[in-house]
Amino acid sequence: DTEVTQTPKHLVMGMTNKKSLKCEQHMGHRAMYWYKQKAKKPPELMFVYSYEKLSINESVPSRFSPECPNSSLLNLHLHALQPEDSALYLCASSQEGLEAEQFFGPGTRLTVL
Amino acid sequence: RKEVEQDPGPFNVPEGATVAFNCTYSNSASQSFFWYRQDCRKEPKLLMSVYSSGNEDGRFTAQLNRASQYISLLIRDSKLSDSATYLCVVNVGTDKLIFGTGTRLQVFP
């Protein structure tokens, strides 16, 4: 199974809402990632979890809060977002760290009104 | 100079053509190199890792030139389904992964 799953596929939220994005992988990978991608731009790394511990936070605003409940799951909690946060949010996983091949989920397309 | 640079294209080629993309990187300490393809409004999918000795997977060949700090991707016998954006990805150390801005390929009948 080389699949990374993400829910929901689409999300529309207001600036005062609280929502969560979910990601799951069953490949036994030890590293998981959150990326943000705007149209016609490459993915931007947000967070890296390695062995369930946050190892990299790319200076992401605190309105984005990651959580890794176990080695297969990764969440991204959203609160008080801005319209400019509208983007495709991609989850990925890899066997080890950034030096390894990454497998991406299909993404959650987020719109902030 | 950008850390990873790609020609944005688009490269418009007929079916059956051979097309090559280059990607240059600035950090000589770069360790791992990858090519991903991304279809419109979809996630990136790993196409191939790039090894020092070069590697081939069917119609696709990847090369690494450490002396000149670039990687390349060659696609032979292009298919319509090869139309996509090709992302060059470079890893530096344990805490840095850099995506190129992508090269768009359009294969026409």
Side-chain angles (χ1 to χ4, degrees):
Chain A
D1 182 4
T2 57
E3 195 179 49
V4 177
T5 59
Q6 288 187 246
T7 55
K9 287 186 178 177
H10 300 275
L11 179 62
V12 179
M13 60 187 290
M15 288 190 283
T16 58
N17 292 157
K18 283 186 182 180
K19 297 285 184 185
S20 296
L21 309 185
K22 297 187 183 300
C23 174
E24 189 167 6
Q25 57 90 11
H26 292 289
M27 294 178 276
H29 287 174
R30 309 312 298 186
M32 295 185 76
Y33 312 83
W34 280 115
Y35 289 87
K36 172 183 176 180
Q37 187 174 26
K38 302 281 262 184
K40 299 190 189 300
K41 299 285 188 184
E44 298 172 34
L45 186 62
M46 299 173 73
F47 301 104
V48 180
Y49 272 84
S50 180
Y51 291 86
E52 301 169 45
K53 289 188 173 12
L54 182 65
S55 60
I56 295 176
N57 175 342
E58 292 285 5
S59 303
V60 179
S62 60
R63 57 185 184 269
F64 295 92
S65 175
E67 178 198 17
C68 188
N70 61 53
S71 59
S72 301
L73 292 173
L74 189 64
N75 298 324
L76 186 63
H77 303 298
L78 314 173
H79 174 54
L81 295 194
Q82 304 296 310
E84 60 265 27
D85 296 321
S86 298
L88 179 68
Y89 287 84
L90 293 159
C91 173
S93 70
S94 68
Q95 188 66 39
E96 293 288 338
L98 291 171
E99 67 276 14
E101 300 165 339
Q102 293 189 22
F103 296 87
F104 285 82
T108 293
R109 194 160 296 280
L110 173 68
T111 302
V112 182
L113 300 176
Chain B
R1 183 184 173 187
K2 287 184 183 174
E3 292 183 279
V4 174
E5 288 199 77
Q6 294 183 252
D7 182 339
F11 284 59
N12 296 305
V13 302
E15 273 187 291
T18 295
V19 63
F21 311 133
N22 279 347
C23 166
T24 58
Y25 60 94
S26 61
N27 192 327
S28 59
S30 300
Q31 297 170 263
S32 306
F33 307 87
F34 310 94
W35 284 105
Y36 285 78
R37 68 168 280 167
Q38 186 169 26
D39 294 282
C40 188
R41 298 179 69 81
K42 298 282 192 180
E43 76 274 22
K45 289 190 191 296
L46 179 69
L47 187 62
M48 52 203 309
S49 302
V50 187
Y51 304 120
S52 297
S53 54
N55 44 306
E56 189 174 306
D57 183 3
R59 299 180 294 109
F60 299 85
T61 300
Q63 299 276 358
L64 166 62
N65 186 317
R66 284 195 183 274
S68 301
Q69 295 186 195
Y70 74 86
I71 66 171
S72 63
L73 178 68
L74 182 79
I75 305 175
R76 287 180 297 277
D77 189 23
S78 298
K79 312 288 185 197
L80 295 175
S81 57
D82 293 334
S83 299
T85 295
Y86 290 82
L87 297 164
C88 164
V89 183
V90 176
N91 158 247
V92 184
T94 59
D95 62 354
K96 206 166 183 183
L97 191 70
I98 308 160
F99 282 73
T101 51
T103 297
R104 197 155 66 88
L105 172 66
Q106 185 66 50
V107 182
F108 59 87

Short mmCIF file of all heavy atoms in Angstrom, two decimals, chain A residues 36-99:
data_model
loop_
_atom_site.label_atom_id
_atom_site.label_comp_id
_atom_site.label_asym_id
_atom_site.label_seq_id
_atom_site.Cartn_x
_atom_site.Cartn_y
_atom_site.Cartn_z
N LYS A 36 2.10 23.57 1.87
CA LYS A 36 1.08 24.47 1.35
C LYS A 36 1.46 24.77 -0.10
O LYS A 36 2.64 25.05 -0.39
CB LYS A 36 1.08 25.77 2.16
CG LYS A 36 0.21 26.87 1.61
CD LYS A 36 0.35 28.12 2.48
CE LYS A 36 -0.44 29.28 1.92
NZ LYS A 36 -0.30 30.50 2.76
N GLN A 37 0.49 24.73 -0.99
CA GLN A 37 0.77 25.03 -2.39
C GLN A 37 -0.26 26.00 -2.95
O GLN A 37 -1.46 25.70 -2.96
CB GLN A 37 0.82 23.75 -3.24
CG GLN A 37 1.28 24.01 -4.67
CD GLN A 37 1.47 22.76 -5.50
OE1 GLN A 37 0.86 21.73 -5.25
NE2 GLN A 37 2.34 22.82 -6.50
N LYS A 38 0.23 27.11 -3.44
CA LYS A 38 -0.61 28.08 -4.13
C LYS A 38 -0.54 27.79 -5.63
O LYS A 38 0.40 27.13 -6.12
CB LYS A 38 -0.13 29.51 -3.87
CG LYS A 38 -0.09 29.90 -2.40
CD LYS A 38 -1.45 30.25 -1.87
CE LYS A 38 -1.69 31.73 -1.87
NZ LYS A 38 -2.99 32.08 -1.26
N ALA A 39 -1.53 28.30 -6.35
CA ALA A 39 -1.63 28.02 -7.79
C ALA A 39 -0.36 28.45 -8.53
O ALA A 39 0.18 29.54 -8.27
CB ALA A 39 -2.84 28.74 -8.37
N LYS A 40 0.10 27.58 -9.40
CA LYS A 40 1.26 27.82 -10.26
C LYS A 40 2.56 28.04 -9.49
O LYS A 40 3.51 28.63 -10.01
CB LYS A 40 1.01 29.02 -11.20
CG LYS A 40 -0.18 28.80 -12.13
CD LYS A 40 -0.25 29.87 -13.18
CE LYS A 40 -1.53 29.82 -13.99
NZ LYS A 40 -1.71 28.55 -14.70
N LYS A 41 2.59 27.58 -8.25
CA LYS A 41 3.81 27.65 -7.43
C LYS A 41 4.17 26.25 -6.95
O LYS A 41 3.30 25.39 -6.88
CB LYS A 41 3.57 28.54 -6.20
CG LYS A 41 3.22 29.98 -6.52
CD LYS A 41 4.43 30.74 -6.97
CE LYS A 41 4.12 32.22 -7.11
NZ LYS A 41 5.28 32.96 -7.64
N PRO A 42 5.43 26.03 -6.59
CA PRO A 42 5.77 24.71 -6.03
C PRO A 42 5.28 24.59 -4.59
O PRO A 42 4.97 25.61 -3.95
CB PRO A 42 7.31 24.72 -6.08
CG PRO A 42 7.68 26.16 -6.02
CD PRO A 42 6.59 26.91 -6.71
N PRO A 43 5.21 23.37 -4.07
CA PRO A 43 4.83 23.19 -2.66
C PRO A 43 5.84 23.88 -1.73
O PRO A 43 7.05 23.88 -2.00
CB PRO A 43 4.86 21.68 -2.47
CG PRO A 43 4.75 21.11 -3.84
CD PRO A 43 5.42 22.08 -4.75
N GLU A 44 5.33 24.44 -0.64
CA GLU A 44 6.18 25.05 0.38
C GLU A 44 6.08 24.20 1.64
O GLU A 44 4.97 23.98 2.15
CB GLU A 44 5.69 26.45 0.75
CG GLU A 44 5.70 27.47 -0.36
CD GLU A 44 5.01 28.75 0.09
OE1 GLU A 44 5.11 29.09 1.29
OE2 GLU A 44 4.35 29.38 -0.74
N LEU A 45 7.21 23.78 2.14
CA LEU A 45 7.23 22.96 3.35
C LEU A 45 6.79 23.79 4.55
O LEU A 45 7.26 24.92 4.74
CB LEU A 45 8.64 22.41 3.57
CG LEU A 45 8.83 21.42 4.71
CD1 LEU A 45 8.01 20.15 4.48
CD2 LEU A 45 10.31 21.08 4.87
N MET A 46 5.88 23.20 5.35
CA MET A 46 5.41 23.88 6.56
C MET A 46 6.00 23.21 7.81
O MET A 46 6.61 23.85 8.64
CB MET A 46 3.88 23.84 6.64
CG MET A 46 3.17 24.51 5.48
SD MET A 46 1.39 24.23 5.55
CE MET A 46 0.91 25.28 6.93
N PHE A 47 5.72 21.92 7.94
CA PHE A 47 6.13 21.18 9.14
C PHE A 47 6.68 19.81 8.75
O PHE A 47 6.23 19.22 7.77
CB PHE A 47 4.93 20.94 10.06
CG PHE A 47 4.24 22.18 10.54
CD1 PHE A 47 3.01 22.56 9.99
CD2 PHE A 47 4.79 22.96 11.55
CE1 PHE A 47 2.36 23.70 10.44
CE2 PHE A 47 4.14 24.09 12.00
CZ PHE A 47 2.93 24.47 11.44
N VAL A 48 7.61 19.33 9.58
CA VAL A 48 8.12 17.96 9.45
C VAL A 48 8.01 17.28 10.79
O VAL A 48 8.44 17.83 11.81
CB VAL A 48 9.60 17.93 8.99
CG1 VAL A 48 10.08 16.49 8.86
CG2 VAL A 48 9.77 18.67 7.67
N TYR A 49 7.43 16.08 10.79
CA TYR A 49 7.43 15.22 11.97
C TYR A 49 8.32 14.02 11.67
O TYR A 49 8.19 13.38 10.63
CB TYR A 49 6.02 14.74 12.29
CG TYR A 49 5.26 15.67 13.19
CD1 TYR A 49 4.59 16.77 12.65
CD2 TYR A 49 5.22 15.47 14.56
CE1 TYR A 49 3.90 17.64 13.48
CE2 TYR A 49 4.53 16.34 15.39
CZ TYR A 49 3.88 17.42 14.84
OH TYR A 49 3.20 18.29 15.66
N SER A 50 9.21 13.74 12.62
CA SER A 50 10.08 12.59 12.49
C SER A 50 9.91 11.75 13.75
O SER A 50 10.10 12.28 14.86
CB SER A 50 11.53 13.05 12.33
OG SER A 50 12.39 11.96 12.19
N TYR A 51 9.56 10.49 13.57
CA TYR A 51 9.30 9.61 14.71
C TYR A 51 8.32 10.28 15.69
O TYR A 51 8.55 10.30 16.91
CB TYR A 51 10.60 9.21 15.41
CG TYR A 51 11.45 8.29 14.57
CD1 TYR A 51 12.35 8.78 13.63
CD2 TYR A 51 11.32 6.90 14.70
CE1 TYR A 51 13.10 7.92 12.84
CE2 TYR A 51 12.08 6.05 13.92
CZ TYR A 51 12.96 6.56 13.00
OH TYR A 51 13.71 5.71 12.22
N GLU A 52 7.27 10.86 15.13
CA GLU A 52 6.15 11.45 15.88
C GLU A 52 6.52 12.73 16.63
O GLU A 52 5.71 13.23 17.40
CB GLU A 52 5.54 10.42 16.83
CG GLU A 52 5.03 9.18 16.10
CD GLU A 52 4.66 8.06 17.04
OE1 GLU A 52 4.00 8.33 18.06
OE2 GLU A 52 5.03 6.90 16.75
N LYS A 53 7.70 13.25 16.39
CA LYS A 53 8.10 14.49 17.06
C LYS A 53 8.28 15.58 15.99
O LYS A 53 8.84 15.33 14.92
CB LYS A 53 9.40 14.30 17.82
CG LYS A 53 9.28 13.46 19.06
CD LYS A 53 10.55 13.46 19.85
CE LYS A 53 10.49 12.78 21.20
NZ LYS A 53 9.35 11.96 21.50
N LEU A 54 7.85 16.78 16.33
CA LEU A 54 8.01 17.90 15.41
C LEU A 54 9.49 18.23 15.30
O LEU A 54 10.13 18.57 16.29
CB LEU A 54 7.22 19.11 15.92
CG LEU A 54 7.25 20.35 15.02
CD1 LEU A 54 6.57 20.09 13.68
CD2 LEU A 54 6.58 21.53 15.74
N SER A 55 10.02 18.12 14.10
CA SER A 55 11.46 18.37 13.93
C SER A 55 11.72 19.66 13.15
O SER A 55 12.78 20.26 13.30
CB SER A 55 12.13 17.19 13.23
OG SER A 55 11.58 16.98 11.94
N ILE A 56 10.78 20.08 12.32
CA ILE A 56 10.95 21.31 11.56
C ILE A 56 9.64 22.08 11.53
O ILE A 56 8.59 21.52 11.25
CB ILE A 56 11.41 21.03 10.11
CG1 ILE A 56 12.80 20.39 10.10
CG2 ILE A 56 11.40 22.31 9.27
CD1 ILE A 56 13.30 19.99 8.72
N ASN A 57 9.72 23.36 11.85
CA ASN A 57 8.61 24.29 11.70
C ASN A 57 9.18 25.44 10.89
O ASN A 57 10.01 26.20 11.38
CB ASN A 57 8.11 24.76 13.06
CG ASN A 57 7.03 25.81 12.97
OD1 ASN A 57 6.84 26.46 11.93
ND2 ASN A 57 6.29 25.99 14.04
N GLU A 58 8.71 25.57 9.64
CA GLU A 58 9.28 26.59 8.75
C GLU A 58 8.65 27.96 9.01
O GLU A 58 8.08 28.58 8.12
CB GLU A 58 9.08 26.17 7.28
CG GLU A 58 9.88 24.97 6.86
CD GLU A 58 11.36 25.27 6.66
OE1 GLU A 58 11.79 26.41 6.93
OE2 GLU A 58 12.10 24.38 6.24
N SER A 59 8.74 28.39 10.28
CA SER A 59 8.24 29.72 10.66
C SER A 59 6.79 29.92 10.24
O SER A 59 6.42 30.97 9.70
CB SER A 59 9.10 30.82 10.03
OG SER A 59 10.44 30.67 10.42
N VAL A 60 5.99 28.90 10.49
CA VAL A 60 4.58 28.95 10.11
C VAL A 60 3.80 29.70 11.19
O VAL A 60 4.05 29.48 12.39
CB VAL A 60 4.03 27.53 9.94
CG1 VAL A 60 2.54 27.56 9.56
CG2 VAL A 60 4.82 26.76 8.89
N PRO A 61 2.86 30.57 10.81
CA PRO A 61 2.07 31.30 11.82
C PRO A 61 1.34 30.34 12.75
O PRO A 61 0.94 29.24 12.36
CB PRO A 61 1.07 32.10 10.97
CG PRO A 61 1.69 32.19 9.63
CD PRO A 61 2.51 30.97 9.44
N SER A 62 1.12 30.80 13.98
CA SER A 62 0.54 29.93 15.00
C SER A 62 -0.92 29.58 14.74
O SER A 62 -1.48 28.71 15.43
CB SER A 62 0.67 30.58 16.38
OG SER A 62 -0.02 31.82 16.38
N ARG A 63 -1.55 30.21 13.79
CA ARG A 63 -2.92 29.85 13.45
C ARG A 63 -2.97 28.46 12.78
O ARG A 63 -4.05 27.89 12.61
CB ARG A 63 -3.58 30.91 12.56
CG ARG A 63 -2.85 31.21 11.27
CD ARG A 63 -3.56 32.38 10.55
NE ARG A 63 -2.99 32.67 9.25
CZ ARG A 63 -2.02 33.54 9.04
NH1 ARG A 63 -1.50 34.20 10.07
NH2 ARG A 63 -1.55 33.76 7.82
N PHE A 64 -1.80 27.93 12.41
CA PHE A 64 -1.68 26.55 11.93
C PHE A 64 -1.01 25.76 13.05
O PHE A 64 0.11 26.09 13.46
CB PHE A 64 -0.80 26.47 10.68
CG PHE A 64 -1.39 27.16 9.49
CD1 PHE A 64 -1.09 28.49 9.22
CD2 PHE A 64 -2.23 26.48 8.62
CE1 PHE A 64 -1.61 29.13 8.12
CE2 PHE A 64 -2.77 27.11 7.52
CZ PHE A 64 -2.46 28.45 7.27
N SER A 65 -1.65 24.68 13.49
CA SER A 65 -1.11 23.91 14.60
C SER A 65 -1.08 22.43 14.23
O SER A 65 -2.13 21.81 14.08
CB SER A 65 -1.98 24.12 15.84
OG SER A 65 -1.56 23.30 16.89
N PRO A 66 0.10 21.85 14.05
CA PRO A 66 0.16 20.44 13.66
C PRO A 66 0.09 19.54 14.89
O PRO A 66 0.39 19.94 16.01
CB PRO A 66 1.54 20.34 13.01
CG PRO A 66 2.37 21.34 13.75
CD PRO A 66 1.44 22.46 14.13
N GLU A 67 -0.31 18.31 14.61
CA GLU A 67 -0.38 17.31 15.67
C GLU A 67 -0.13 15.94 15.07
O GLU A 67 -0.64 15.64 13.98
CB GLU A 67 -1.78 17.33 16.31
CG GLU A 67 -1.97 16.28 17.40
CD GLU A 67 -3.44 16.05 17.71
OE1 GLU A 67 -4.31 16.43 16.90
OE2 GLU A 67 -3.71 15.45 18.76
N CYS A 68 0.64 15.11 15.75
CA CYS A 68 0.91 13.77 15.25
C CYS A 68 0.49 12.77 16.33
O CYS A 68 1.29 12.42 17.21
CB CYS A 68 2.40 13.62 14.92
SG CYS A 68 2.82 12.08 14.10
N PRO A 69 -0.76 12.29 16.31
CA PRO A 69 -1.26 11.41 17.36
C PRO A 69 -0.54 10.06 17.43
O PRO A 69 -0.38 9.49 18.51
CB PRO A 69 -2.73 11.20 16.99
CG PRO A 69 -3.06 12.29 16.04
CD PRO A 69 -1.79 12.63 15.33
N ASN A 70 -0.12 9.54 16.27
CA ASN A 70 0.67 8.32 16.23
C ASN A 70 1.44 8.27 14.92
O ASN A 70 1.35 9.20 14.11
CB ASN A 70 -0.23 7.07 16.42
CG ASN A 70 -1.28 6.94 15.34
OD1 ASN A 70 -0.96 6.96 14.15
ND2 ASN A 70 -2.54 6.81 15.73
N SER A 71 2.15 7.19 14.71
CA SER A 71 3.07 7.16 13.56
C SER A 71 2.36 7.14 12.22
O SER A 71 2.99 7.36 11.19
CB SER A 71 3.97 5.93 13.67
OG SER A 71 3.19 4.75 13.70
N SER A 72 1.04 6.88 12.20
CA SER A 72 0.32 6.81 10.93
C SER A 72 -0.52 8.05 10.64
O SER A 72 -1.00 8.21 9.53
CB SER A 72 -0.64 5.61 10.93
OG SER A 72 0.06 4.41 11.11
N LEU A 73 -0.71 8.88 11.65
CA LEU A 73 -1.66 9.98 11.52
C LEU A 73 -0.97 11.33 11.69
O LEU A 73 -0.07 11.48 12.53
CB LEU A 73 -2.76 9.86 12.57
CG LEU A 73 -3.73 8.70 12.43
CD1 LEU A 73 -4.65 8.63 13.65
CD2 LEU A 73 -4.55 8.84 11.17
N LEU A 74 -1.46 12.29 10.93
CA LEU A 74 -0.97 13.66 11.06
C LEU A 74 -2.17 14.58 10.88
O LEU A 74 -2.94 14.41 9.94
CB LEU A 74 0.08 13.94 9.98
CG LEU A 74 0.85 15.25 10.07
CD1 LEU A 74 1.71 15.29 11.33
CD2 LEU A 74 1.72 15.44 8.84
N ASN A 75 -2.32 15.52 11.79
CA ASN A 75 -3.41 16.48 11.70
C ASN A 75 -2.84 17.88 11.55
O ASN A 75 -1.70 18.16 11.97
CB ASN A 75 -4.28 16.45 12.97
CG ASN A 75 -4.94 15.10 13.19
OD1 ASN A 75 -5.34 14.43 12.24
ND2 ASN A 75 -5.04 14.69 14.44
N LEU A 76 -3.64 18.75 10.97
CA LEU A 76 -3.31 20.17 10.93
C LEU A 76 -4.53 20.94 11.39
O LEU A 76 -5.57 20.94 10.72
CB LEU A 76 -2.90 20.60 9.52
CG LEU A 76 -2.38 22.04 9.38
CD1 LEU A 76 -1.10 22.22 10.19
CD2 LEU A 76 -2.13 22.38 7.91
N HIS A 77 -4.43 21.56 12.58
CA HIS A 77 -5.54 22.30 13.14
C HIS A 77 -5.46 23.75 12.68
O HIS A 77 -4.38 24.37 12.71
CB HIS A 77 -5.50 22.22 14.67
CG HIS A 77 -5.53 20.81 15.18
ND1 HIS A 77 -6.59 19.95 14.95
CD2 HIS A 77 -4.61 20.11 15.89
CE1 HIS A 77 -6.34 18.79 15.49
NE2 HIS A 77 -5.13 18.84 16.08
N LEU A 78 -6.62 24.25 12.26
CA LEU A 78 -6.69 25.59 11.67
C LEU A 78 -7.58 26.48 12.52
O LEU A 78 -8.68 26.07 12.92
CB LEU A 78 -7.28 25.49 10.26
CG LEU A 78 -6.72 24.39 9.35
CD1 LEU A 78 -7.53 24.30 8.05
CD2 LEU A 78 -5.25 24.62 9.07
N HIS A 79 -7.12 27.67 12.78
CA HIS A 79 -7.92 28.59 13.61
C HIS A 79 -7.60 30.03 13.21
O HIS A 79 -6.45 30.40 13.10
CB HIS A 79 -7.61 28.37 15.08
CG HIS A 79 -8.26 29.36 15.98
ND1 HIS A 79 -9.63 29.61 15.97
CD2 HIS A 79 -7.76 30.19 16.93
CE1 HIS A 79 -9.92 30.53 16.86
NE2 HIS A 79 -8.81 30.90 17.47
N ALA A 80 -8.67 30.81 13.01
CA ALA A 80 -8.52 32.24 12.69
C ALA A 80 -7.66 32.45 11.45
O ALA A 80 -6.73 33.27 11.45
CB ALA A 80 -7.94 32.99 13.89
N LEU A 81 -7.97 31.70 10.41
CA LEU A 81 -7.20 31.84 9.17
C LEU A 81 -7.58 33.11 8.41
O LEU A 81 -8.63 33.71 8.67
CB LEU A 81 -7.41 30.62 8.27
CG LEU A 81 -6.89 29.29 8.80
CD1 LEU A 81 -6.86 28.25 7.69
CD2 LEU A 81 -5.52 29.41 9.43
N GLN A 82 -6.72 33.47 7.50
CA GLN A 82 -6.92 34.64 6.65
C GLN A 82 -7.23 34.18 5.21
O GLN A 82 -6.84 33.08 4.83
CB GLN A 82 -5.66 35.50 6.64
CG GLN A 82 -5.20 35.94 8.02
CD GLN A 82 -6.22 36.84 8.68
OE1 GLN A 82 -6.69 37.80 8.07
NE2 GLN A 82 -6.61 36.50 9.91
N PRO A 83 -7.87 35.02 4.42
CA PRO A 83 -8.15 34.62 3.03
C PRO A 83 -6.90 34.21 2.26
O PRO A 83 -6.96 33.32 1.40
CB PRO A 83 -8.79 35.88 2.43
CG PRO A 83 -9.46 36.54 3.60
CD PRO A 83 -8.53 36.29 4.76
N GLU A 84 -5.75 34.82 2.57
CA GLU A 84 -4.52 34.47 1.86
C GLU A 84 -3.99 33.08 2.22
O GLU A 84 -3.05 32.58 1.59
CB GLU A 84 -3.41 35.51 2.11
CG GLU A 84 -3.02 35.69 3.55
CD GLU A 84 -3.75 36.84 4.22
OE1 GLU A 84 -4.89 37.17 3.80
OE2 GLU A 84 -3.18 37.40 5.19
N ASP A 85 -4.61 32.44 3.20
CA ASP A 85 -4.26 31.06 3.55
C ASP A 85 -4.94 30.06 2.63
O ASP A 85 -4.67 28.86 2.71
CB ASP A 85 -4.63 30.75 5.00
CG ASP A 85 -3.85 31.59 6.00
OD1 ASP A 85 -2.64 31.81 5.75
OD2 ASP A 85 -4.44 32.03 7.01
N SER A 86 -5.83 30.53 1.79
CA SER A 86 -6.49 29.65 0.83
C SER A 86 -5.43 29.04 -0.08
O SER A 86 -4.62 29.76 -0.67
CB SER A 86 -7.51 30.43 -0.01
OG SER A 86 -8.53 30.97 0.80
N ALA A 87 -5.45 27.71 -0.18
CA ALA A 87 -4.40 27.00 -0.94
C ALA A 87 -4.73 25.51 -0.94
O ALA A 87 -5.71 25.07 -0.33
CB ALA A 87 -3.04 27.22 -0.31
N LEU A 88 -3.89 24.75 -1.60
CA LEU A 88 -3.94 23.29 -1.53
C LEU A 88 -2.97 22.87 -0.43
O LEU A 88 -1.79 23.25 -0.45
CB LEU A 88 -3.51 22.68 -2.87
CG LEU A 88 -3.49 21.15 -2.96
CD1 LEU A 88 -4.90 20.58 -2.87
CD2 LEU A 88 -2.82 20.71 -4.26
N TYR A 89 -3.47 22.10 0.54
CA TYR A 89 -2.62 21.63 1.64
C TYR A 89 -2.33 20.16 1.41
O TYR A 89 -3.24 19.33 1.36
CB TYR A 89 -3.27 21.89 2.99
CG TYR A 89 -3.22 23.37 3.31
CD1 TYR A 89 -4.19 24.23 2.81
CD2 TYR A 89 -2.18 23.89 4.06
CE1 TYR A 89 -4.11 25.59 3.05
CE2 TYR A 89 -2.09 25.25 4.31
CZ TYR A 89 -3.07 26.10 3.79
OH TYR A 89 -2.98 27.45 4.01
N LEU A 90 -1.04 19.88 1.27
CA LEU A 90 -0.60 18.53 0.93
C LEU A 90 0.10 17.89 2.13
O LEU A 90 0.90 18.53 2.80
CB LEU A 90 0.40 18.58 -0.23
CG LEU A 90 -0.16 19.04 -1.58
CD1 LEU A 90 0.97 19.53 -2.48
CD2 LEU A 90 -0.91 17.90 -2.26
N CYS A 91 -0.21 16.64 2.33
CA CYS A 91 0.49 15.83 3.32
C CYS A 91 1.40 14.86 2.56
O CYS A 91 1.05 14.43 1.45
CB CYS A 91 -0.54 15.07 4.16
SG CYS A 91 0.16 13.88 5.31
N ALA A 92 2.53 14.56 3.12
CA ALA A 92 3.42 13.58 2.50
C ALA A 92 4.08 12.75 3.59
O ALA A 92 4.10 13.13 4.77
CB ALA A 92 4.49 14.28 1.64
N SER A 93 4.63 11.61 3.18
CA SER A 93 5.38 10.79 4.12
C SER A 93 6.59 10.22 3.42
O SER A 93 6.64 10.13 2.18
CB SER A 93 4.50 9.67 4.70
OG SER A 93 4.21 8.69 3.71
N SER A 94 7.59 9.85 4.22
CA SER A 94 8.78 9.20 3.66
C SER A 94 9.33 8.22 4.67
O SER A 94 9.04 8.32 5.87
CB SER A 94 9.85 10.22 3.26
OG SER A 94 10.39 10.86 4.41
N GLN A 95 10.15 7.30 4.19
CA GLN A 95 10.70 6.27 5.05
C GLN A 95 11.46 6.87 6.24
O GLN A 95 11.26 6.47 7.38
CB GLN A 95 11.65 5.37 4.23
CG GLN A 95 12.14 4.16 4.97
CD GLN A 95 11.02 3.19 5.28
OE1 GLN A 95 10.14 2.98 4.46
NE2 GLN A 95 11.03 2.63 6.47
N GLU A 96 12.31 7.83 5.93
CA GLU A 96 13.04 8.51 6.99
C GLU A 96 12.84 10.00 6.83
O GLU A 96 11.71 10.45 6.78
CB GLU A 96 14.53 8.12 6.95
CG GLU A 96 14.82 6.68 7.28
CD GLU A 96 14.62 6.35 8.76
OE1 GLU A 96 14.66 7.27 9.59
OE2 GLU A 96 14.41 5.16 9.07
N GLY A 97 13.91 10.77 6.72
CA GLY A 97 13.79 12.22 6.67
C GLY A 97 13.76 12.78 5.27
O GLY A 97 13.40 12.12 4.31
N LEU A 98 14.18 14.03 5.17
CA LEU A 98 14.07 14.78 3.92
C LEU A 98 14.93 14.21 2.80
O LEU A 98 14.75 14.58 1.64
CB LEU A 98 14.43 16.24 4.15
CG LEU A 98 13.43 17.04 4.99
CD1 LEU A 98 14.00 18.41 5.34
CD2 LEU A 98 12.11 17.20 4.24
N GLU A 99 15.86 13.33 3.15
CA GLU A 99 16.72 12.77 2.11
C GLU A 99 16.06 11.63 1.36
O GLU A 99 16.57 11.16 0.35
CB GLU A 99 18.05 12.28 2.73
CG GLU A 99 17.91 11.09 3.65
CD GLU A 99 17.52 11.44 5.08
OE1 GLU A 99 17.09 12.60 5.32
OE2 GLU A 99 17.60 10.55 5.95
#
